[in-house]
């Protein structure tokens, strides 16, 4: 796993997804070296960088041109990216042209989550996996309901991570924002 502190960051781009969350996403995805992975809403590229080390192909999408630039810089910094395509576009537009998908991680949807899930459903291989990360309660509900409507059996996990900071007189635990990881497999 790549260290959170090693990523290039930008105040105008969210991320990177924290290491503990990336580890859970990787585990839940069941990624193999044969998989084609989409990172929709790639931000600074934390997910993209991790999956590029494990998957056959990674396609990363973000509407923010600066996110694509920072993701590109992080891929270069870690010596990754030979199997990565970066797309600066709206998630729903870009996804329409991508077929035969094995795994999709949706970390950002620009208020188009239902449309994005519909498009993913159409282009996802049988037994393909969808992973949605969410911090807003509304996003969690919307994702679960849409996945259920499409015949999936979604699972949700709420993760609260705290990291210790060593002080002279003890350890201070500093918590990060809780995040939900919603997973579903195409039947």
């Amino acid at each position: 796993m790549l260290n959170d502190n090693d990523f290039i960051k930008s105040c105008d781009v969210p991320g990177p997804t924290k290491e503990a969350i990336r580890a859970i996403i990787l585990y839940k995805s069941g990624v193999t070296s044969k998989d084609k992975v989409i990172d929709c809403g790639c931000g600074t590229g934390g997910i993209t960088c991790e999956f590029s080390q494990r998957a056959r192909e990674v396609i990363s999408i973000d509407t923010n041109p600066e996110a694509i630039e920072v993701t590109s810089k992080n891929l270069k910094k870690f010596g990754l990216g030979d199997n990565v395509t970066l797309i600066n576009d709206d998630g729903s537009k870009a996804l329409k042209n991508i077929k035969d998908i094995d795994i999709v991680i949706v970390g950002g949807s620009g208020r188009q989550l239902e449309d994005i899930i519909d498009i993913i459903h159409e282009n996802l291989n049988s037994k393909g996996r969808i992973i949605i990360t969410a911090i807003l309660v509304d996003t969690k509900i919307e994702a679960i309901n849409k996945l259920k409507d499409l015949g999936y059996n979604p699972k949700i996990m709420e993760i609260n991570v705290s990291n210790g900071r060593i002080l002279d007189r003890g350890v201070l635990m500093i918590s990060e924002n809780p995040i939900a990881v919603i997973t579903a497999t195409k039947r």
Side-chain angles (χ1 to χ4, degrees), residues 43-115:
T44 57
I47 298 291
T48 296
C49 289
E50 296 293 355
F51 275 92
S52 72
Q53 297 176 77
R54 295 159 176 89
R56 172 179 53 88
E57 179 183 4
V58 179
I59 300 171
S60 299
I61 304 163
D62 208 293
T63 58
N64 182 350
E66 190 173 349
I68 296 298
E69 183 180 323
V70 174
T71 296
S72 177
K73 287 178 182 177
N74 279 315
L75 286 164
K76 285 181 183 125
K77 179 177 183 177
F78 296 119
L80 304 168
D82 291 342
N83 60 342
V84 177
T85 302
L86 299 173
I87 300 174
N88 179 211
D89 201 353
D90 193 67
S92 59
K93 287 181 191 169
L95 284 164
K96 285 180 184 173
N97 300 315
I98 304 170
K99 308 295 181 205
D100 298 320
I101 302 168
D102 297 302
I103 301 169
V104 179
I105 301 93
V106 181
S109 60
R111 299 179 189 232
Q112 299 178 349
L113 185 58
E114 288 191 12
D115 289 340

Side-chain angles (χ1 to χ4, degrees), residues 5-77:
N5 295 326
D6 291 338
F7 280 90
I8 297 166
K9 300 171 184 94
S10 166
C11 58
D12 297 322
V13 180
T17 301
K18 299 297 182 200
E19 180 180 348
I21 305 304
R22 293 193 316 268
I24 290 168
I25 290 169
L26 283 167
Y27 172 74
K28 291 287 193 179
S29 75
V31 66
T32 71
S33 60
K34 297 177 183 176
D35 288 325
K36 180 178 186 176
V37 177
I38 310 301
D39 183 4
C40 185
C42 64
T44 57
I47 298 291
T48 296
C49 289
E50 296 293 355
F51 275 92
S52 72
Q53 297 176 77
R54 295 159 176 89
R56 172 179 53 88
E57 179 183 4
V58 179
I59 300 171
S60 299
I61 304 163
D62 208 293
T63 58
N64 182 350
E66 190 173 349
I68 296 298
E69 183 180 323
V70 174
T71 296
S72 177
K73 287 178 182 177
N74 279 315
L75 286 164
K76 285 181 183 125
K77 179 177 183 177

